[in-house]
Amino acid sequence: MGEVDAELIRIQGMSDRQVGEFLKKNGISLKVEEARRIVHLIGRDPTLTELHIFNIQWSEHSSYKSSEEWLKLLPTKGKEVILGPSEDAGIVRFTKHEGETYGIVMSHESHNHPSQVVPYEGAATGIGGNVRDVLCMGARVIASADPLRFGNPDGKHANRVKYIASQVIEGIAGYGNPLGVPVIAGDIYFNDSFDENCLVNVVTLGILKEKDIVHSKAPPDSEGYDIVIVGKATDNSGFGGAAFASLILDEEDRESNRGAVQVPDPFLKNVLIRATESVFEEVRKKKIPVGFKDMGAGGIMCSTSELVASAGFGAEIDLDKVHVSMHDLPPFIVACSETQERFTWICPTAFTDALLKIYNEDFDLLNISQGARASVIGKVTKSPTYLLSHQGKTVCNADVQAITAGIKYQREFKPPKQRYTEPDLGEPKDYEKAVLDVLAHPNVASKAACYKHYDTQVQGLTVIQPGDADAGVQAPLPGCSAGIALSVDCNPKVSRIDAYWGAANAVAESMRNVAAVGAVPLCLTDCLNYGNPEKPEAFYQFVQGVKGLSEAATQLHFKGTQEPVPFISGNVSFYNESATGKAVDASAIVACLGRIDDLSKVITMKIKKAGSALFMAGERKDTLGGSVYYDLHGQTGANIPKSDFVSERNMIYAVTDAIDKRLLLSCHDISDGGVIVALAEMILGGEADGEIGAQVSFDEKSPLWKALFSESGGFVLEVEEKNAKEVQRIFSGHGISLIKLGTTGGPQLVINDRISLPIGKLKEAWTSGFRRAMA
Amino acid sequence: MKPTIAVIWFPGMNCENEAKRACVAAGMDSEIARWNNAKLEKFDGYLLPGGWSFEDRVRAGVIASKDPLFDSLKEEAKAGKPVLGICNGCQVLAETGLVPGIKPEAQMALAPNANPFVSGYYCTWVKIKHVGKKNAYNAFFKHGEILDIPIAHGEGRFISAEKGLMEQLEKNGQIVFKYCDANGAVIHDFPVNPNGAAANIAAVANPKGNVLAIMPHPERAFFKFQHKEKQMANYGDAMTLMPAARIFESMREYLKK
């Protein structure tokens, strides 16, 4: 392998113990045998810079070393998939408009570890990174969604849990709002499995013309092209972020871990986005071949090496040309720090001056943000080596393919010993109190106090805002009738009991949610959040989760074909585990993107008029395992909802058909809290200002409380009486018999002769629970 | 010929595209003009959109208000050209003194919201009532007419240290929109007044009526599809212009004269 001038770390001359000590002292989380593998791979002892590079590239976060072989199980292809999971974000075909084909770019990431340690910055930079992933495909970033999981707000870590929850929400608002990316969906769950490891996932959407995609790789024949980095001046922040994301969090290391979290700058990002859009315009107009990539995990090193490696080239980079805001940084920090708000361009030298002018002069980076600019730092080389020089010395000289290939592990897995049992709870003594308690549970209660802190409407494209329906809806191309819907889902307690069904149900629920507004599921993304993959029981949950996702996406296929709904992007986050070995609930968080051809047909969940019929699709089953009702009784339970895929997909087809014919007035999916919550939320509406109640009856052949609180999937539909027959016909055409629940009207929610709750009481319970949890 | 509106973008602003879209849908031409190379004189009118100009360092809108661009914008305003500031644009206009514009210096500021429900940034739909005397933006509103419109800001509370200013603005008819309830009652308490603004001010004009500073977002309540709990008969109906669009249409008519 190539020669270097920098000092070599004599791995070959050290004992295993000495190697271990050296790695630990230098904050390198590689295992001893991995360090020895590097020697073998590059044919000599490595430099310290090279060790740091492999440390990042071989981290779980960057290499998917445990997960990749299993991720192959997921369906990722489809006739509408423009780009599957291979670059920074996936792209699905959306619609044709004025002779152009448009795609939606979608990315799904986690920023769990940083958010646990420094919640405001962690959550903010999580959005920042995900937005860059979408932007760098050449897209206009149009929406985001935030699935959040926090600890028990009444548990033994209550104070820290509330602090983290409120700071994460502040961070999302503090970053996403100034950027001008509206939040259109999200969910929040609290339970004690997240006490020491919160989950902060982000989904971001963008839109582009299919012909305008910019790839995250060097263009063909790009030997000699310039490598240009733009954005914030490099400092030491976020150094080791990728490796940090692949560690178990130890409370005692909290202080030292803070340095691994990046520092967000939404103002600079706002300007960078607009400047970058100007560059896109310019390269399209002049047909300039370029490569463009976000700088995230692994910083300059990862971004530049992957850009050239994926096109079969190499790179020669002078780290002294990197614009920095701290002096005397060692080369591995300049190369690998994860300073936020940066990108890498590869462009022909003839275009370089124009590129620099857009950032440095037109958008005046030099004057509006201290130290920010665009700088040429190197060149694309024909030889496939990755050369880094620093102060006249070569500090890295290795085969670029070796750097980017990563490593793979086959992890062992075995089912956990833990067995769950079903409790024997009798009928509630006071039905009305039971209903109000469920409505006030923080996992059910209105999250308005959270999402009203977010800008849900900037860009003027929002059709349905968070809270008003099961999915957020946008008109991404004003003037075009097609719209998109987005939902994110995964019930953590169900997944705790059974990781397979937790994941499969998450796919089903996310599809139900986009169907409930009238959109047809188009594609999925996933973020797989689990504990330590080196533990066979934790890894078993991951394997089960992937299998559940795969099975559900295959079974809940597109209408009229057998084609699975594809996963177009995703992310894996392991080591969500405390130092005492407590892992988070298995969380295969799924996002579903739906399309509606005529967005004027969308409906919300709020009851529209008195005197309409209420129907239910999806019979109630004895499946209270993981339910809110059990949670309120301190129980977990065992009988979880298991999606019956055939009826699940038929319900989805029937609901979207009925909405397409404008036959439903409102629609709500049945999930957390059960059908009683679906009914109460339809009465209240997202703003909790509804004034139309309902009279409903359930057959009491089986216990009423189980029917009300079971969380088996389904829908509640509001239908005008005159359309009832037609709606029933559509459902029976798909093999689904609708259950008539009752009619809308009156000032209360009345159920059999057991429950008669005035709307005001429903409102009080539903609007207080989340605020109380956060207080 | 259609008039052309410059949507003036300062670094950190983020509502420029929908502002431009609203101008165009209201029958005008529009261009986004960057703060550092805007040739103001060639435009017929100006719009300062929402966002966080210069990160809202120190105080919302204050850094942008010191930009040399305002030397010429003030001249254009003096000549009667319309200047509309929305949200951050409204904050900037207050800091320049262009509104209320009775004296040459700043007389009002936009203070942090007083909101018992969500502290800081707050995004929601509110109702506002038209109460102004005739100006460039309200040609198509009846007195007392109520509009649904969203707000999205952390600093939207109009205040002034000047004694008697609010009374003077009322008397002059410079207060153009006030936060109100569904029946038009102007109630100072949350949630009717979402940020605690003095005199429930949602929008204020200069005495001549060619400069308007409005905290709510008319460009987000422009088309029917953007409204809450709407029923749309077809896609054409989704694009129906809603009452807030008349602010832009009035600007267009004003420019015809």
Side-chain angles (χ1 to χ4, degrees):
Chain A
M1 202 39 65
E3 292 300 306
V4 290
D5 310 314
E7 190 194 341
L8 299 180
I9 310 302
R10 303 287 173 193
I11 302 281
Q12 295 177 92
M14 293 187 204
S15 70
D16 282 357
R17 215 194 71 210
Q18 286 171 318
V19 175
E21 277 168 6
F22 178 85
L23 295 174
K24 188 158 199 284
K25 203 180 91 203
N26 284 279
I28 296 172
S29 44
L30 287 168
K31 304 226 172 349
V32 173
E33 68 269 19
E34 291 173 337
R36 298 209 186 279
R37 249 167 103 170
I38 295 170
V39 175
H40 181 73
L41 193 66
I42 66 175
R44 59 163 164 76
D45 279 321
T47 64
L48 187 57
T49 300
E50 288 167 341
L51 265 183
H52 277 289
I53 288 175
F54 281 98
N55 183 41
I56 290 162
Q57 293 295 64
W58 286 3
S59 71
E60 191 66 60
H61 183 86
S62 300
S63 71
Y64 291 81
K65 63 186 171 191
S66 306
S67 57
E68 194 174 86
E69 79 165 292
W70 290 101
L71 295 176
K72 289 177 189 152
L73 290 181
L74 297 177
T76 57
K77 295 191 169 66
K79 59 177 193 296
E80 301 296 342
V81 177
I82 298 174
L83 185 68
S86 56
E87 296 187 31
D88 289 310
I91 310 179
V92 68
R93 201 162 284 119
F94 164 53
T95 193
K96 269 214 159 105
H97 179 58
E98 293 173 347
E100 300 281 359
T101 304
Y102 285 84
I104 299 288
V105 183
M106 191 168 178
S107 179
H108 191 163
E109 282 272 354
S110 63
H111 228 216
N112 303 336
H113 284 64
S115 302
Q116 180 69 25
V117 177
V118 196
Y120 183 99
E121 288 79 2
T125 53
I127 299 181
N130 209 233
V131 163
R132 284 197 305 276
D133 286 334
V134 170
L135 178 75
C136 77
M137 304 310 299
R140 176 174 294 251
V141 181
I142 54 170
S144 69
D146 305 288
L148 308 174
R149 306 290 181 265
F150 301 120
N152 180 354
D154 300 313
K156 65 175 182 194
H157 296 278
N159 285 341
R160 180 139 185 91
V161 163
K162 287 170 201 255
Y163 170 76
I164 288 175
S166 62
Q167 287 295 296
V168 163
I169 290 167
E170 283 294 333
I172 292 169
Y175 195 91
N177 295 350
L179 226 51
V181 178
V183 174
I184 65 164
D187 64 0
I188 301 177
Y189 283 93
F190 297 90
N191 83 40
D192 41 26
S193 84
F194 304 110
D195 276 0
E196 291 168 86
N197 292 88
C198 65
L199 299 184
V200 174
N201 283 193
V202 194
V203 179
T204 303
L205 301 182
I207 187 158
L208 45 57
K209 291 178 189 161
E210 188 169 353
K211 64 171 192 204
D212 287 345
I213 295 170
V214 177
H215 287 285
S216 316
K217 63 175 179 187
D221 304 318
S222 55
E223 185 191 352
Y225 279 27
D226 281 325
I227 299 176
V228 181
I229 60 167
V230 302
K232 196 166 172 178
T234 297
D235 54 27
N236 63 354
S237 66
F239 176 69
F244 161 61
S246 311
L247 291 175
I248 289 168
L249 281 188
D250 192 331
E251 195 64 6
E252 294 193 349
D253 293 338
R254 202 200 291 167
E255 282 309 316
S256 59
N257 284 337
R258 278 176 201 273
V261 181
Q262 307 87 342
V263 181
D265 185 346
F267 169 66
L268 175 57
K269 180 63 105 349
N270 167 301
V271 178
L272 281 173
I273 288 175
R274 283 150 181 87
T276 299
E277 286 174 349
S278 278
V279 178
F280 289 153
E281 240 174 76
E282 203 62 17
V283 298
R284 279 164 197 158
K285 210 163 61 195
K286 298 185 177 154
K287 300 203 185 325
I288 312 250
V290 292
F292 186 48
K293 193 168 167 59
D294 148 52
M295 229 187 268
I300 293 172
M301 179 277 296
C302 188
S303 177
T304 53
S305 65
E306 288 182 8
L307 272 162
V308 294
S310 55
F313 293 103
E316 214 175 291
I317 288 166
D318 182 354
L319 293 175
D320 300 321
K321 293 200 174 143
V322 173
H323 51 285
V324 291
S325 59
M326 297 168 100
H327 293 288
D328 304 322
L329 290 173
F332 55 87
I333 292 199
V334 178
C336 303
S337 108
E338 296 176 14
T339 305
Q340 283 287 291
E341 332 302 1
R342 298 180 303 164
F343 297 94
T344 307
W345 283 98
I346 287 183
C347 71
T349 49
F351 182 65
T352 304
D353 283 346
L355 180 76
L356 297 181
K357 178 178 174 287
I358 290 174
Y359 287 106
N360 295 343
E361 293 169 36
D362 295 355
F363 284 83
D364 205 14
L365 287 189
L366 301 147
N367 287 313
I368 63 163
S369 180
Q370 198 170 8
R373 61 179 303 147
S375 305
V376 181
I377 62 161
K379 281 205 181 302
V380 177
T381 58
K382 189 166 185 199
S383 144
T385 47
Y386 191 67
L387 264 171
L388 292 180
S389 65
H390 181 249
Q391 295 176 356
K393 285 185 176 172
T394 304
V395 294
C396 169
N397 184 355
D399 180 348
V400 73
Q401 299 293 340
I403 288 177
T404 55
I407 48 169
K408 299 295 164 238
Y409 280 107
Q410 293 215 332
R411 300 286 191 197
E412 284 174 35
F413 54 94
K414 67 169 190 218
K417 287 190 201 78
Q418 172 102 31
R419 291 280 171 270
Y420 291 93
T421 53
E422 194 61 13
D424 186 16
L425 297 181
E427 179 162 55
K429 284 193 196 74
D430 182 342
Y431 263 97
E432 292 183 351
K433 180 174 181 301
V435 169
L436 295 176
D437 287 349
V438 168
L439 282 174
H441 190 290
N443 292 356
V444 168
S446 166
K447 307 296 186 295
C450 165
Y451 59 72
K452 291 206 172 201
H453 202 41
Y454 303 151
D455 195 339
T456 52
Q457 298 165 42
V458 60
Q459 302 192 23
L461 308 175
T462 305
V463 180
I464 296 182
Q465 297 159 37
D468 287 349
D470 289 316
V473 177
Q474 267 193 331
L477 298 169
C480 167
S481 65
I484 53 169
L486 181 67
S487 173
V488 291
D489 296 280
C490 181
N491 182 320
K493 274 188 101 179
V494 170
S495 307
R496 178 190 304 179
I497 299 168
D498 189 320
Y500 175 91
W501 284 109
N505 290 351
V507 172
E509 188 182 345
S510 68
M511 288 193 191
R512 274 206 307 278
N513 284 341
V514 305
V517 299
V520 174
L522 186 60
C523 67
L524 302 161
T525 60
D526 60 309
C527 185
L528 304 167
N529 307 272
Y530 294 90
N532 179 355
E534 296 160 49
K535 291 185 180 171
E537 294 196 349
F539 198 64
Y540 176 83
Q541 291 193 308
F542 164 76
V543 171
Q544 289 295 99
V546 175
K547 287 180 176 172
L549 295 182
S550 172
E551 183 69 11
T554 306
Q555 294 277 347
L556 302 176
H557 53 68
F558 290 114
K559 194 173 86 171
T561 75
Q562 300 290 312
E563 203 186 306
V565 179
F567 284 90
I568 65 162
S569 185
N571 176 245
V572 181
S573 168
F574 282 126
Y575 300 97
N576 293 293
E577 186 170 310
S578 68
T580 56
K582 197 172 106 180
V584 296
D585 284 346
S587 296
I589 297 179
V590 175
C592 181
L593 177 75
R595 172 174 58 203
I596 184 158
D597 290 333
D598 181 349
L599 60 82
S600 72
K601 292 177 179 174
V602 293
I603 56 173
T604 65
M605 68 181 185
K606 189 178 179 182
I607 289 174
K608 301 296 182 302
K609 46 174 95 162
S612 24
L614 287 170
F615 287 99
M616 179 171 73
E619 58 176 314
R620 298 297 87 206
K621 297 174 188 161
D622 184 358
T623 53
L624 280 92
S627 68
V628 171
Y629 186 75
Y630 275 5
D631 195 67
L632 287 167
H633 289 82
Q635 301 289 340
T636 303
N639 295 348
I640 49 163
K642 296 177 179 174
S643 296
D644 168 351
F645 294 126
V646 175
S647 76
E648 192 78 55
R649 70 175 178 243
N650 285 329
M651 276 195 287
I652 290 169
Y653 301 155
V655 164
T656 49
D657 283 357
I659 296 174
D660 185 54
K661 294 193 159 70
R662 298 186 190 271
L663 292 171
L664 304 187
L665 291 171
S666 62
C667 178
H668 196 9
D669 123 279
I670 302 172
S671 58
D672 305 279
V675 65
I676 185 70
V677 167
L679 286 164
E681 288 179 344
M682 289 174 78
I683 289 170
L684 293 168
E687 295 286 346
D689 60 354
E691 290 173 345
I692 307 167
Q695 285 86 43
V696 174
S697 58
F698 285 87
D699 142 17
E700 292 204 34
K701 272 183 267 175
S702 51
L704 179 65
W705 65 278
K706 290 197 173 180
L708 296 182
F709 301 119
S710 160
E711 300 183 5
S712 314
F715 293 95
V716 179
L717 322 168
E718 182 197 1
V719 184
E720 270 191 274
E721 281 293 356
K722 65 171 194 216
N723 293 326
K725 278 227 167 72
E726 177 64 5
V727 171
Q728 282 170 306
R729 202 189 56 75
I730 289 172
F731 275 77
S732 61
H734 286 289
I736 302 288
S737 44
L738 282 178
I739 300 155
K740 173 96 191 262
L741 290 182
T743 52
T744 62
Q748 314 84 1
L749 171 59
V750 180
I751 296 179
N752 296 9
D753 52 356
R754 312 258 198 160
I755 295 168
S756 174
L757 282 166
I759 295 173
K761 282 204 157 175
L762 301 175
K763 173 175 173 169
E764 194 189 319
W766 190 64
T767 55
S768 65
F770 175 68
R771 302 186 70 211
R772 189 194 50 74
M774 298 290 288
Chain B
M1 220 176 78
K2 286 180 186 175
T4 305
I5 305 300
V7 174
I8 301 171
W9 181 82
F10 281 97
M13 285 178 161
N14 61 19
C15 301
E16 69 276 21
N17 292 314
E18 56 270 42
K20 177 180 162 184
R21 194 184 305 134
C23 290
V24 172
M28 300 181 282
D29 281 333
S30 180
E31 276 176 37
I32 295 171
R34 256 195 343 264
W35 87 110
N36 56 358
N37 78 338
K39 313 259 180 302
L40 293 186
E41 60 287 353
K42 70 171 189 176
F43 295 100
D44 304 298
Y46 310 91
L47 193 159
L48 290 153
W52 272 256
S53 55
F54 296 106
E55 222 173 335
D56 280 352
R57 283 172 221 152
V58 185
R59 195 166 65 236
V62 71
I63 308 273
S65 76
K66 309 291 180 205
D67 194 280
L69 175 143
F70 282 97
D71 298 340
S72 34
L73 191 67
K74 280 178 179 167
E75 287 307 309
E76 302 295 344
K78 207 185 267 173
K81 287 191 188 175
V83 182
L84 171 61
I86 301 171
C87 198
N88 193 227
C90 165
Q91 294 161 335
V92 174
L93 287 182
E95 291 290 344
T96 61
L98 274 163
V99 292
I102 297 168
K103 296 178 183 166
E105 69 270 17
Q107 294 172 274
M108 300 177 96
L110 279 301
N113 296 349
N115 175 335
F117 181 62
V118 171
S119 75
Y121 189 88
Y122 188 56
C123 175
T124 197
W125 283 80
V126 297
K127 291 184 189 297
I128 56 173
K129 180 161 101 166
H130 170 234
V131 294
K133 76 160 191 205
K134 196 164 172 349
N135 62 38
Y137 305 90
N138 63 1
F140 301 117
F141 293 106
K142 294 192 201 78
H143 190 85
E145 190 171 344
I146 301 167
L147 283 73
D148 286 308
I149 198 164
I151 57 158
H153 57 247
E155 283 120 25
R157 179 162 54 97
F158 276 101
I159 51 165
S160 176
E162 236 179 270
K163 259 204 174 141
L165 178 68
M166 299 304 163
E167 292 75 9
Q168 197 183 353
L169 295 178
E170 296 262 16
K171 210 177 84 207
N172 293 352
Q174 282 179 257
I175 301 175
V176 185
F177 293 104
K178 286 186 172 193
Y179 299 109
C180 69
D181 73 4
N183 303 315
V186 176
I187 297 164
H188 191 68
D189 299 330
F190 184 87
V192 171
N193 182 336
N195 52 32
N200 279 38
I201 299 176
V204 61
N206 67 344
K208 247 163 88 179
N210 64 321
V211 182
L212 181 74
I214 179 167
M215 279 314 294
H217 284 273
E219 81 284 16
R220 299 183 185 188
F222 197 93
F223 301 108
K224 193 173 194 178
F225 79 79
Q226 297 171 318
H227 277 245
K228 275 180 90 88
E229 297 298 349
K230 59 260 160 182
Q231 288 187 3
M232 301 174 280
N234 51 51
Y235 184 65
D237 185 26
M239 299 301 284
T240 302
L241 301 197
M242 301 302 276
R246 290 189 232 139
I247 293 174
F248 295 82
E249 293 179 312
S250 171
M251 195 176 178
R252 180 198 68 210
E253 290 307 302
Y254 171 82
L255 283 166
K256 274 190 186 162
K257 285 167 199 160

